[in-house]
Amino acid sequence: MTPEVRDRLDAFIKHKGLRNTPQREALVQAIFASDEHFTADELWDRLRGKEARSSRATLYRTLGLLTEAGLLQEIDLGDGQTTYDPNFLDHPSHNHLVCIDCGKVVEFQDHGIDVLNDCITRRLGFRPVKHSLRIEACCESLRSKGHCRNLIQARLEGKRLPGKKR
Amino acid sequence: MTPEVRDRLDAFIKHKGLRNTPQREALVQAIFASDEHFTADELWDRLRGKEARSSRATLYRTLGLLTEAGLLQEIDLGDGQTTYDPNFLDHPSHNHLVCIDCGKVVEFQDHGIDVLNDCITRRLGFRPVKHSLRIEACCESLRSKGHCRNLIQARLEGKRLPGKKR
DNA sequence: GTTATTGCAAATGATTTGCACAAGG
DNA sequence: CCTTGTGCAAATCATTTGCAATAAC
């Protein structure tokens, strides 16, 4: 966890008059241990075996809090569950490409989009707050070679592919 | 309903060996009567009083079918329900700006985004299928004048504002 | 006659919430 | 102490699904 995250979180806790609990702290540690995005369920799995495990209710409440604090970004990958992105402070521009073949998600940034967003938003009479471009695409190698490494991997892991709801 | 839509639908029905039923037809009529986007619930309301009313199950099944046929576009406005856009054939590039103050949704097109999408997707090694830019912004007039006509309207209509889930 | 379709009611599944109890400060 | 936080179980709520009855073709 970067000092920035820590500071921002502490400030938020103080500002809102919240308290420090081991459950919340364990969740925060698990969340910011990596910069990978995750779902509520994946986070639940990460806490497997950890001493300070919380209930699902607390997990969801904490996710809401961190989102409110601006430390997490909710994103929708079209699979019926919310995905959380802890990578927001470092990368305020959040765009995702989802492979419709295997469900792989590529996160990327693009300056052009940022500029374009700003122009468009102002032209429409609003002030920009945030934006995200979501691209659905298909795998080039699947098309040319007839197979896709990601696809195989995804099947093995039993991942839910895009298009499947719930 | 434009002839294009009709043709495409008929072709789809024939291709998949589906049948023509009054329920489905009534739904299709209601959906393509306007080019406004809608939720399952709003569509349900549109059928109020119509003779050929269907069950919710059929409504959802039909929405799925039309989406599969490429006649509807599923979009996520972040309010916990799927919004459907019937405006896809005419406007393949689908972008939305959501006002975080009042929840108003502005649909817009932008050639720059289309170009950018194409470049980015290929650069990442994929083939573009579809994309959508989702902008969250706040109302300029709310900020400068302290009020926003949309906000008032939204409250009156009891609309669910962004950020509220379910 | 087949086979797709419908309606109903029950199931799903992620997320939320009421409540009584536990525990920060 | 006085709140805020937690866990549990029950509640939500949009959407899906099993199934028996209907209805296209």
Side-chain angles (χ1 to χ4, degrees), chain B residues 141-159:
Chain B
S141 85
L142 178 65
R143 190 153 163 284
S144 52
K145 302 178 202 152
H147 68 277
C148 155
R149 172 147 287 125
N150 297 335
L151 179 54
I152 297 166
Q153 196 59 34
R155 296 275 181 222
L156 287 176
E157 290 173 5
K159 285 244 168 111

Side-chain angles (χ1 to χ4, degrees), chain A residues 79-129:
Chain A
D79 62 350
Q81 57 192 330
T82 304
T83 295
Y84 295 86
D85 201 318
N87 212 8
F88 186 54
L89 284 184
D90 300 336
H91 306 286
S93 173
H94 262 68
N95 307 294
H96 297 88
L97 180 152
V98 183
C99 176
I100 59 174
D101 297 320
C102 64
K104 181 177 181 181
V105 177
V106 181
E107 200 166 308
F108 65 92
Q109 287 186 269
D110 187 283
H111 183 59
I113 292 175
D114 299 340
V115 173
L116 214 47
N117 167 62
D118 206 81
C119 295
I120 293 168
T121 306
R122 291 181 196 287
R123 197 196 305 149
L124 293 171
F126 293 84
R127 293 204 330 130
V129 173

Side-chain angles (χ1 to χ4, degrees), chain B residues 18-19 21 23-24 53-55 57-58 61 166:
Chain B
L18 307 180
R19 292 170 184 177
T21 66
Q23 291 92 331
R24 200 136 68 194
R53 186 178 199 147
S54 74
S55 67
T58 297
R61 285 188 273 238
R166 317 237 148 145

Side-chain angles (χ1 to χ4, degrees), chain A residues 138-154:
Chain A
C138 58
C139 181
E140 191 57 69
S141 85
L142 179 66
R143 190 154 164 286
S144 53
K145 302 177 202 153
H147 69 276
C148 156
R149 174 147 286 127
N150 298 334
L151 179 54
I152 298 165
Q153 196 60 33

